[in-house]
């Protein structure tokens, strides 16, 4: 199995490359996934001084004959980011390994035990009979216009801001000033509510929301990402 270490708009010192080989123990990885082909480790740096505690980002991508597994983390230096990312990768590998192990029949649960392990599963008694659903007895409360069953957890905060329309460049500048990963504004050219957001490294995306009088409720205004 090969480990490929590369930098994205940053130099990767030889010392860090050696540390990657020591940190990502191949024997342990291959024990959890015997079909591993290669590991890609990408290091990038965020130049924004407001993000100094998350300036270094490490992304680990594991390629195998099964599904691709990816883990990434950011910290104040690449070594700390690598530690966090490698811990995430190991946790996901173990989860995938345990999933395969259970599918093969080892550690199989009885029907009566499934409800204790799988959230939301139907409850069965020792005879395999369905236990009566008592969800109707759970109290419901209203959080604004949202109905919440039981204790939640759900926190709804509403804010209304008054702001003059601005250009996309100005919105990007304002987003950097507040140090957020997204910024809501009214586009001065289209007069549409819009969101600019940070994607990967130095890439940005923008979503414009346009009202459709013929559309019925239930559609999403657009998901960040992609």
């Amino acid at each position: 199995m090969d480990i490929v270490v590369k930098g994205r708009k940053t130099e990767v010192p030889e010392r860090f490359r050696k540390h990657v080989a020591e940190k990502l123990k191949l024997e342990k990885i291959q024990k959890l996934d015997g079909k591993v082909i290669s590991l890609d480790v990408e290091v990038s740096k965020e130049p924004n001084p407001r993000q100094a505690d998350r300036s270094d980002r490490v992304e680990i991508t594991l390629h195998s004959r099964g599904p691709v597994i990816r883990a990434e983390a950011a910290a104040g230096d690449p070594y700390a980011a690598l530690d966090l990312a490698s811990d995430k990768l190991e946790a996901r590998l173990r989860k995938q390994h345990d999933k395969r192990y259970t599918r093969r029949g080892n550690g199989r649960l009885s029907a009566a035990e499934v409800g204790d392990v799988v959230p939301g599963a139907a409850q069965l008694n020792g005879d395999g009979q369905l236990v009566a659903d008592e969800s109707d007895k759970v109290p419901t409360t209203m959080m604004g216009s949202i109905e919440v069953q039981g204790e939640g957890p759900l926190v709804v905060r509403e804010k209304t801001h008054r702001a003059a329309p601005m250009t996309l460049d100005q919105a990007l500048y304002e987003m950097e000033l507040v140090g957020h990963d997204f910024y809501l504004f009214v586009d001065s050219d289209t007069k549409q509510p819009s969101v600019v957001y940070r994607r990967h490294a130095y890439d940005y995306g923008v979503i414009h929301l346009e009202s459709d009088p013929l559309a019925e409720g239930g559609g999403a205004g657009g998901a960040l990402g992609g």
Side-chain angles (χ1 to χ4, degrees):
M1 178 176 65
D2 298 324
I3 298 180
V4 179
V5 182
K6 57 185 178 181
R8 185 179 186 188
K9 299 183 179 179
T10 186
E11 293 292 331
V12 180
E14 188 61 30
R15 178 182 167 215
F16 182 79
R17 295 178 185 273
K18 292 180 179 178
H19 183 70
V20 169
E22 295 171 357
K23 183 68 179 178
L24 299 177
K25 297 179 174 59
L26 301 185
E27 298 82 5
K28 181 184 289 187
I29 292 175
Q30 289 176 324
K31 185 177 180 180
L32 294 171
D33 189 343
K35 299 180 180 181
V36 177
I37 299 172
S38 66
L39 272 172
D40 291 340
V41 179
E42 183 178 275
V43 184
S44 60
K45 194 168 185 70
E46 169 59 56
N48 187 349
R50 296 177 63 91
Q51 310 249 346
D53 58 336
R54 296 170 55 84
S55 60
D56 291 276
R57 179 174 294 276
V58 172
E59 180 178 305
I60 307 173
T61 305
L62 183 148
H63 300 276
S64 72
R65 289 190 288 274
V68 173
I69 298 177
R70 182 176 289 108
E72 62 178 300
D77 65 80
Y79 294 90
L82 176 65
D83 289 345
L84 294 172
S86 61
D87 288 346
K88 289 182 181 179
L89 179 70
E90 183 176 343
R92 289 169 187 174
L93 276 171
R94 288 190 181 280
K95 182 177 180 181
Q96 186 71 14
H97 177 267
D98 293 343
K99 188 176 180 180
R100 289 196 301 268
Y101 182 80
T102 303
R103 281 180 176 174
R104 287 197 296 265
N106 298 313
R108 183 172 295 170
L109 301 174
S110 68
E113 295 173 313
V114 172
D116 297 329
V117 178
V118 182
Q123 297 287 333
L124 302 177
N125 59 24
D127 298 327
Q129 297 175 332
L130 186 65
V131 177
D133 184 7
E134 298 184 356
S135 61
D136 293 339
K137 300 179 181 179
V138 178
T140 59
T141 56
M142 296 298 295
M143 300 291 291
S145 59
I146 302 174
E147 184 179 280
V148 181
Q149 190 176 71
E151 299 298 326
L154 178 65
V155 178
V156 177
R157 295 182 61 191
E158 292 184 300
K159 287 187 177 181
T160 301
H161 295 279
R162 298 179 64 87
M166 62 181 67
T167 63
L168 176 59
D169 287 343
Q170 181 65 23
L172 285 169
Y173 176 70
E174 296 286 345
M175 182 180 72
E176 293 295 341
L177 285 181
V178 298
H180 290 172
D181 291 330
F182 68 93
Y183 191 81
L184 176 65
F185 69 104
V186 176
D187 193 299
S188 59
D189 294 328
T190 64
K191 303 300 185 291
Q192 295 173 335
S194 306
V195 174
V196 63
Y197 62 95
R198 192 187 313 278
R199 295 181 70 246
H200 307 292
Y202 308 104
D203 293 339
Y204 299 95
V206 61
I207 296 174
H208 300 291
L209 186 62
E210 183 177 276
S211 177
D212 185 352
L214 300 180
E216 296 184 0
L224 294 184

